[in-house]
Amino acid sequence: MYDVIALGELLIDFTPAGFSDNGNTLFEMNPGGAPANVLTAVTKLGGKGAFIGKVGDDQFGYFLKKVLENNQINTDGLEFTTKANTTLAFVHLDDKGDRSFTFYRNPGADTMLEEEDIELDLIEKGKIFHFGSLSMTDEPARSATLKAIEYAKQNKKIISYDPNWRPPLWENETVAKKEMVLGLQYADIVKLSEDELQFLTGESNLEYGSKTLFDMGIKLVLVTLGAKGCYYRHTSGTGHIPAYRVNVVDTTGAGDAFLGGVLYNISKIDYPIEKLKTQELEKIIDFANATGGLCTTKRGAIPAMPTLEEVKYLLVHGVKSL
């Protein structure tokens, strides 16, 4: 059995790594892709995970498979294709460590995932099924993703969703919103940023926006607020859990690390998530804040995911933001 099965993009993040002698930015090849990041966070903490997706039959693709294996992630659901290269993303960081992206994905191998590629027996062996909106930008991956979600739902898995808003990867905003909202209709747990909340609900107010999502049947809404922590809405109520103060180097993957921290803990609960008590839920979110915060202290996403020991240390010795 697996704690989390994740489906979606597995790609190369080229992250800034200093400057050349000529003063030009140097880029380091790092493994990434939001669903793979979440899964790595889970396994680095000690959970069990399996990945479903597609990469190119190229050096990048084989490198990524090795990375998953090195992080104790089952790769039986990882397929290779000669129809497209492994997707690449160049990460650009501002003075505060916040990032923007340039993608090479037209098409990318991850969008080539087909319905017949889906390992249904893997989904059956998982407690939580996680996916993101970026596997719904293009066919055939969109149909393959929906098939997997529906199978997971039929088999009573907890559905976790990240409506990842990356404008360059969508045809236009109308299509993006329609597909991202479709994903919401399946979800039990949703993790999103303030920008994503406003895009999907039209609300910048956290209370109103989260209520819109909660009223759709989502059981746990998590709005990540960067250095300010996380706002949550659940049957037990709403609340804000502050972040930990850390030395930020690169925010790439921080939200994925946060969600990995949440899913790692929820996978250990043997009753419905809507029955979580406030104190227990806030403890889980505090743990996730520590996991996300630690991820920002190193470059890259997958290489920066912390261990359980590192998270526990920060929980005891860390200082929270106001």
Side-chain angles (χ1 to χ4, degrees), residues 90-106:
F90 283 81
V91 182
H92 311 283
L93 300 175
D94 65 16
D95 295 340
K96 296 178 182 176
D98 287 328
R99 75 270 187 275
S100 56
F101 298 89
T102 301
F103 291 96
Y104 290 81
R105 186 193 191 232
N106 191 28

Side-chain angles (χ1 to χ4, degrees), residues 240-307:
H240 171 255
I241 309 298
Y244 286 85
R245 291 184 191 171
V246 292
N247 180 29
V248 176
V249 173
D250 178 5
T251 59
T252 308
D256 303 325
F258 169 89
L259 184 54
V262 170
L263 300 185
Y264 166 75
N265 282 286
I266 284 179
S267 71
K268 302 192 173 319
I269 294 164
D270 57 5
Y271 49 84
I273 55 176
E274 57 267 34
K275 295 195 174 173
L276 276 164
K277 298 285 192 292
T278 301
Q279 186 179 7
E280 193 175 13
L281 177 59
E282 293 195 343
K283 191 176 176 184
I284 288 172
I285 295 171
D286 186 49
F287 179 100
N289 278 347
T291 308
L294 284 167
C295 178
T296 70
T297 63
K298 298 175 187 173
R299 283 204 305 266
I302 285 177
M305 295 302 167
T307 63

Side-chain angles (χ1 to χ4, degrees), residues 8 23 31 34 39 48 57 63 68 82 89 92 113 125 129 148 176 193 214 242 245 259 280 286:
L39 205 52
K48 289 189 70 180
D57 187 12
F63 164 74
L68 293 187
T82 56
H92 311 283
L113 187 70
K125 292 174 186 169
F129 178 80
S193 67
F214 193 75
R245 291 184 191 171
L259 184 54
E280 193 175 13
D286 186 49

Side-chain angles (χ1 to χ4, degrees), residues 1-8 35-36 38-43 45 47-52 73-74 119-132 148-162 186-191 219-220 222 256 258-274 276 281 284:
M1 293 297 290
Y2 297 95
D3 300 309
V4 182
I5 308 294
L7 177 148
V38 170
L39 205 52
T40 305
V42 171
T43 60
L45 292 168
K48 289 189 70 180
F51 184 78
I52 298 172
I73 293 169
N74 179 293
E119 294 275 354
L120 296 177
D121 59 329
L122 264 185
I123 296 172
E124 217 165 300
K125 292 174 186 169
K127 180 165 186 179
I128 299 170
F129 178 80
H130 172 70
F131 74 105
I149 302 166
E150 284 165 3
Y151 186 82
K153 200 77 173 170
Q154 287 162 12
N155 284 270
K156 297 181 169 51
K157 306 302 176 185
I158 297 169
I159 310 290
S160 164
Y161 175 47
D162 176 6
Y186 294 94
D188 298 305
I189 301 168
V190 169
K191 185 276 300 181
K219 293 163 186 171
L220 176 58
L222 301 162
D256 303 325
F258 169 89
L259 184 54
V262 170
L263 300 185
Y264 166 75
N265 282 286
I266 284 179
S267 71
K268 302 192 173 319
I269 294 164
D270 57 5
Y271 49 84
I273 55 176
E274 57 267 34
L276 276 164
L281 177 59
I284 288 172

